[in-house]
Amino acid sequence: MSRPKRVLRKKFIVFCEGDTEYNYVDGMRLKQGVELALKPINMQGGGYKSFLDEIKKEASNNCLAKFIIIDFDRTKRHSGELEKLKEIIKYCELQNGSGRIPCFLILDNPDFEYVACLHAEDYNGQETKKYIEQILGFGSLEKFKKKKDIYCYLNTNHNSYDRMLARLGEKVIINHYQIKKANFDIKITDTEVI
């Protein structure tokens, strides 16, 4: 008697900066409704060097693509981070140019809190901390960051991911890519760094 054939699921690996980003991606994973595994990895704010180290050592078995989601404001708040970000950009360009697992770099500009506010129908550019605490009713930024079901929260009551995408202003990184749906082949054809 032979054992049943084991089916390996293709997966996306998502490296994200902190709890809020992790909870958002994990909530999206639960709602996706497709047979792909999404493996979010919480970097817990370790800085751009930590991201690069973790990306390099994470196994790529059955991986369709890697997504690196980080806040862009680190370049302004921490000395030396701009050079580390440039190293991540260069690493992604090398991976994408070699035909290996594509690496999508996504920079929250300036940070995830701003991107979260863009989901809200009545957000009009107010100061993000005040908006999250008072208008969204969290009371503190810490409570917002600890909300496990943040994806659902930001995608209900007339708030939506689509609204956020439509309202995004200045982009720092633009990934141009192609997808062959028949075999889930993803290829980044060009990355623009603005």
Side-chain angles (χ1 to χ4, degrees):
M1 182 159 130
S2 65
R3 293 192 313 196
K5 186 176 181 180
R6 190 172 138 192
V7 177
L8 296 175
R9 292 175 62 193
K10 298 286 188 177
K11 64 184 174 187
F12 294 106
I13 300 175
V14 181
F15 300 87
C16 44
E17 191 165 346
D19 292 337
T20 316
E21 293 89 339
Y22 178 89
N23 290 336
Y24 188 90
V25 171
D26 197 44
M28 188 185 325
R29 176 189 63 81
L30 294 171
K31 297 286 184 189
Q32 69 184 336
V34 295
E35 287 300 315
L36 296 173
L38 182 62
K39 181 182 178 186
I41 298 174
N42 185 346
M43 298 299 298
Q44 301 179 353
Y48 297 148
K49 182 180 181 335
S50 294
F51 273 83
L52 187 54
D53 293 345
E54 196 65 32
I55 294 162
K56 286 179 177 180
K57 74 178 184 181
E58 178 65 31
S60 298
N61 302 352
N62 297 314
C63 183
L64 293 170
K66 293 180 180 182
F67 293 84
I68 301 104
I69 304 172
I70 50 182
D71 289 346
F72 185 59
D73 67 350
R74 291 188 73 85
T75 61
K76 295 175 181 77
R77 292 186 292 125
H78 303 285
S79 108
E81 287 291 86
L82 181 57
E83 290 308 311
K84 297 300 179 191
L85 175 60
K86 288 178 182 177
E87 289 178 28
I88 293 174
I89 293 169
K90 187 68 174 165
Y91 175 81
C92 291
E93 287 173 342
L94 289 171
Q95 293 299 302
N96 296 337
S98 70
R100 293 186 182 120
I101 305 298
C103 294
F104 289 85
L105 181 58
I106 301 167
L107 295 175
D108 294 328
N109 187 14
D111 54 30
F112 183 78
E113 290 77 14
Y114 174 71
V115 172
C117 289
L118 291 178
H119 286 70
E121 185 175 41
D122 63 349
Y123 180 72
N124 294 310
Q126 302 93 313
E127 195 271 315
T128 56
K129 182 178 184 291
K130 186 176 180 180
Y131 185 83
I132 288 169
E133 291 175 349
Q134 295 176 2
I135 307 299
L136 294 182
F138 282 93
S140 74
L141 210 48
E142 291 72 33
K143 286 181 183 175
F144 169 78
K145 289 182 176 196
K146 290 180 181 178
K147 186 160 182 63
K148 294 278 187 199
D149 63 344
I150 194 67
Y151 177 81
C152 290
Y153 180 85
L154 291 174
N155 285 283
T156 55
N157 298 329
H158 305 290
N159 302 327
S160 78
Y161 174 82
D162 291 326
R163 176 175 292 106
M164 178 270 297
L165 287 177
R167 296 167 90 185
L168 278 176
E170 180 184 4
K171 295 172 179 76
V172 179
I173 301 276
I174 301 172
N175 297 292
H176 299 278
Y177 59 93
Q178 297 174 335
I179 301 174
K180 293 180 184 170
K181 291 182 182 180
N183 59 353
F184 291 108
D185 184 41
I186 301 171
K187 180 179 181 186
I188 296 181
T189 56
D190 184 40
T191 300
E192 291 179 53
V193 181
I194 311 293

